[in-house]
Amino acid sequence: MILAAETNESLATLSNELVYASMAVYTLAFLAHIAEWVFGSRSKVGRTAAALTPSGTEATVSVQVKQAGGTTVLDRPKVVTRSASGARDVPDGPGAAGGTVKGDLYGRIAVSLTVLAFALEAAGVVTRAISVQRAPWGNMYEFSTTFSTVAVGVYLAFLLAKKNVRWIGLPLVTTVLLDLGVATTLLYTESDQLVPALDSYWLWIHVSTAIFCGAVLYLGAVATLLYLFRDSYENKLANGGTPGGFARSVLERLPAAATLDKFAYRVNAAIFPLWTFTIIAGAIWAGDAWGRYWGWDAKEVWSFITWVGYAAYLHARATAGWKGRKAAYIALIAFGCFLFNYYGVNIFVNSKHSYAGV
């Protein structure tokens, strides 16, 4: 027994060291992403603004004709822009690297460092689980480290699937560093066994889906926030305004507002059914643990409020006059409810779900 306790303590210490090591590597990834933005070309990103045309114009199509052995060959038409009344069709920006080799090199270094940091943090989460011989989600510290690990994992999965999401890299790494900083300084709890209500196989089902949903909803929230900035920028250009140099350098490298809006909608819509299942699974677990499926506990109420928020967002997307910015505001409010459900309820509200240990 004494040997086992010492082994578990050593594993818990190793887990902490791995998390701190991942923070160091995430910091290097953060600096590499900054270099990607700074050293990326600023001369090429202005093409996005030049591609915008006044409202009401038709598409401009460039077609080149070549003669090859008497046969006319038409190159694939290149659509420069199309802007109908009340709508915009703006090309995506070149990305944080600005389309340059030097900027792209720093971006690739940043992604490589993010992969290494993800591996270290994931190892820390797994080691913590082995040290307590249970799922590593029994308190806010464990939930926070697992949440950031899953968020980075989802981002890397998008990259692995050849999706153009490297623009998420800088805000993601920044958020992960803040999350781990709060977890290791304010939320840290020594490894211990679960309270009786949590000692159930439903912990693996309910909490794991909640963590995954939160990670995906976070990516959707980042895309939504960037969409609002980019949409304002495109509106200013379309109305003849002149944005500042910083806005041109940053916002013109991002995907078009329509692309960001589409990405946010797709990830939120895809994860909504799983969030619905998370609430249902929590109710079933409550029935096993406390003998009732719903008791209007603060965590239950705010989980439902979050569900209503995202349901309203999806409804707004299908309602004339509520698409675009209005729907985006609802999505951000819904994600704010998710954050309060985790931090606010756990820290400030007396709830049956308060297992923070802080």
Side-chain angles (χ1 to χ4, degrees):
M1 290 293 293
I2 296 177
L3 181 60
E6 291 178 349
T7 301
N8 291 339
E9 184 177 351
S10 298
L11 288 174
T13 302
L14 176 60
S15 172
N16 297 338
E17 292 174 350
L18 288 170
V19 170
Y20 280 113
S22 72
M23 292 176 65
V25 181
Y26 277 129
T27 302
L28 295 176
F30 170 80
L31 295 175
H33 273 301
I34 293 293
E36 178 187 18
W37 282 92
V38 170
F39 294 106
S41 172
R42 299 193 179 200
S43 60
K44 295 183 178 181
V45 295
R47 296 175 183 173
T48 301
L52 284 171
T53 59
S55 178
T57 59
E58 299 297 327
T60 302
V61 180
S62 174
V63 181
Q64 296 179 353
V65 181
K66 295 180 179 179
Q67 297 292 334
T71 303
T72 301
V73 179
L74 296 179
D75 286 344
R76 182 179 179 180
K78 178 183 178 182
V79 178
V80 178
T81 185
R82 181 191 65 215
S83 182
S85 178
R88 295 190 307 267
D89 190 355
V90 181
D92 291 339
T100 65
V101 174
K102 186 175 182 180
D104 184 64
L105 174 62
Y106 282 111
R108 292 178 182 275
I109 292 174
V111 172
S112 299
L113 289 170
T114 302
V115 171
L116 176 59
F118 166 76
L120 290 171
E121 188 181 9
V125 171
V126 172
T127 305
R128 175 86 172 197
I130 296 174
S131 71
V132 293
Q133 299 179 1
R134 57 168 173 80
W137 312 315
N139 51 63
M140 289 184 68
Y141 168 76
E142 295 175 352
F143 189 100
S144 295
T145 54
T146 306
F147 174 82
S148 58
T149 303
V150 174
V152 175
V154 172
Y155 163 69
L156 295 177
F158 275 117
L159 290 179
L160 191 63
K162 306 299 183 182
K163 302 298 181 181
N164 181 24
V165 295
R166 207 164 82 185
W167 45 270
I168 298 179
L170 181 57
L172 173 64
V173 171
T174 304
T175 306
V176 167
L177 282 172
L178 291 173
D179 175 73
L180 292 179
V182 171
T184 55
T185 57
L186 301 178
L187 304 179
Y188 181 75
T189 305
E190 294 291 342
S191 59
D192 201 355
Q193 295 306 308
L194 297 172
V195 296
L198 285 180
D199 192 9
S200 169
Y201 63 89
W202 280 105
L203 176 68
W204 292 93
I205 301 173
H206 172 65
V207 182
S208 63
T209 54
I211 291 173
F212 181 74
C213 287
V216 177
L217 292 176
Y218 163 78
L219 297 182
V222 171
T224 300
L225 187 62
L226 293 178
Y227 156 74
L228 291 174
F229 286 114
R230 173 77 189 208
D231 184 63
S232 296
Y233 178 78
E234 291 180 6
N235 279 332
K236 189 170 186 177
L237 288 175
N239 292 328
T242 304
F246 179 79
R248 288 197 303 271
S249 176
V250 174
L251 295 178
E252 286 177 5
R253 305 194 206 187
L254 294 175
T259 301
L260 292 168
D261 185 45
K262 184 184 297 183
F263 176 83
Y265 170 69
R266 286 180 174 177
V267 296
N268 287 332
I271 208 64
F272 182 74
L274 189 59
W275 181 249
T276 304
F277 169 77
T278 301
I279 297 176
I280 295 173
I284 296 174
W285 187 8
D288 289 345
W290 299 317
R292 84 316 183 258
Y293 294 103
W294 190 267
W296 297 103
D297 184 71
K299 181 72 71 173
E300 297 168 347
V301 170
W302 278 95
S303 294
F304 180 68
I305 291 174
T306 303
W307 184 90
V308 171
Y310 278 104
Y313 164 74
L314 296 177
H315 179 71
R317 292 280 311 197
T319 303
W322 278 89
K323 295 180 179 180
R325 298 185 68 86
K326 291 181 180 179
Y329 292 139
I330 296 175
L332 291 180
I333 292 172
F335 186 70
C337 292
F338 174 86
L339 291 179
F340 181 79
N341 187 32
Y342 174 54
Y343 287 103
V345 171
N346 282 17
I347 296 176
F348 302 112
V349 180
N350 186 17
S351 165
K352 285 189 174 182
H353 293 77
S354 298
Y355 309 116
V358 296

